[in-house]
Amino acid sequence: MTNDPVRIDDPADPRIAGFVSIKEKDLTGRHGRFIAEGTVVLRMLAAAHRAGRGVAAEAILLLENRVSGLSDILAEFPADIPVYVADARVFDAIAGFNMHRGVMALGRRDQAPRMDVLVGALPVKSLVLAACGISNHDNVGSMFRNAAAFGADAVLMDETSCDPMYRKAIRVSVGSVLTVPFAREGSVAALVSKLQAEGFSIWGLSPRGQTDLREIAPSPRTALLVGTEGEGLPQHILSSIRTARIRQRPGLDSLNVATATGIALHQVAMINGFI
């Protein structure tokens, strides 16, 4: 259980330096650290910290009127994690904006697994979500939330995809970024090659896919691959794997990538017994 909260009256207090101007710091990175924002995400961080899988909490910052309602979540953190509290004026001055919900934690991600290590350690029966060139943090967060909801064992991203450890992606994922194993490195071609070598049945999602999503056959190891918003997957990748489409009415080019991911993961998870 955490110690008694420590009151912060000065936004320049060095003890809360990691929380200062978090919106601007999101643009430049935090050297392995991240911000967890909101009650649900705080609970997910506590679970990830206890699991000891390379995600850990370093400090918690709360609006003073939120403390009593979070006592059960705070009790899930080790006693050496400091909890700081501040009034609204000081809190806003620390964060740099007032859309923070009054609940934030500073965490770090260590021991990020390499792509080959993560894929090599997946169970015999596995479901993987893979992504190429996803540049919108809202979409990334939603994709992780879908992956968690439908039992994906990992999310694999190429080096051109945005960092899922950004504050907004973590918030939109409701903390799923902290619990679903992921790797982000290399080219999409290398990603596909690794999955093929490990015996995965790979399906690329495309509005022009050759197979209706409902006709994907069960497979012990299945990977769904999605591409960047607008352009989709590169043609040289589409030509090297099987492709699937989500049936929709004519007149609209495609679904949002996060929406398409949710529909496809649900279907594949269902036919393979993950849900």
Side-chain angles (χ1 to χ4, degrees):
M1 182 175 179
T2 53
N3 293 317
D4 292 335
V6 177
R7 187 170 185 84
I8 300 295
D9 295 310
D10 181 3
D13 190 315
R15 291 175 293 182
I16 47 85
F19 294 99
V20 173
S21 301
I22 59 172
K23 192 172 185 179
E24 284 71 22
K25 288 181 180 178
D26 277 349
L27 302 177
T28 58
R30 292 177 167 268
H31 307 290
R33 287 174 169 79
F34 60 87
I35 289 290
E37 178 185 4
T39 303
V40 176
V41 180
L42 186 66
R43 190 183 296 278
M44 297 288 273
L45 175 58
H49 187 114
R50 292 196 310 273
R53 297 177 181 174
V55 172
E58 293 191 343
I60 299 168
L61 177 63
L62 304 174
L63 199 59
E64 58 185 356
N65 63 2
R66 299 297 308 273
V67 177
S68 60
L70 295 172
S71 58
D72 60 329
I73 299 179
L74 296 178
E76 298 178 18
F77 287 93
D80 60 346
I81 305 299
V83 178
Y84 302 111
V85 300
D87 62 25
R89 179 189 61 82
V90 174
F91 203 116
D92 289 351
I94 294 169
F97 68 118
N98 62 2
M99 297 294 289
H100 44 64
R101 307 180 184 184
V103 178
M104 292 194 298
L106 181 66
R108 70 176 185 276
R109 184 178 189 238
D110 302 325
Q111 306 167 8
R114 299 283 306 203
M115 184 82 70
D116 58 346
V117 174
L118 178 55
V119 175
L122 290 172
V124 174
K125 184 177 180 180
S126 301
L127 174 59
V128 166
L129 174 62
C132 161
I134 307 299
S135 59
N136 182 288
H137 289 99
D138 292 271
N139 284 336
V140 166
S142 294
M143 289 164 61
F144 270 84
R145 186 172 184 173
N146 293 335
F150 300 123
D153 295 281
V155 175
L156 308 178
M157 312 174 74
D158 76 332
E159 61 191 359
T160 69
S161 295
C162 60
D163 189 350
M165 298 306 296
Y166 273 29
R167 177 180 59 87
K168 194 173 186 183
I170 295 174
R171 174 167 57 82
V172 173
S173 81
V174 291
S176 298
V177 170
L178 307 179
T179 60
V180 177
F182 76 88
R184 172 176 164 265
E185 65 178 74
S187 67
V188 64
L191 191 162
V192 168
S193 178
K194 180 61 179 176
L195 289 171
Q196 289 173 332
E198 292 290 340
F200 276 85
S201 175
I202 306 173
W203 290 91
L205 294 184
S206 170
R208 295 167 294 282
Q210 296 179 339
T211 302
D212 188 286
L213 179 67
R214 297 179 301 174
E215 297 173 0
I216 292 179
S219 173
R221 304 193 118 191
T222 302
L224 290 173
L225 177 62
V226 297
T228 183
E229 301 88 343
E231 297 179 5
L233 290 166
Q235 186 55 47
H236 72 279
I237 295 297
L238 287 172
S239 62
S240 68
I241 59 176
R242 288 178 289 183
T243 58
R245 65 185 181 276
I246 297 171
R247 188 178 301 181
Q248 63 182 71
R249 294 183 66 178
L252 189 67
D253 177 62
S254 65
L255 294 171
N256 167 271
V257 65
T259 301
T261 296
I263 294 171
L265 278 173
H266 175 266
Q267 173 67 17
V268 173
M270 188 165 56
I271 65 174
N272 286 297
F274 284 87
I275 56 174

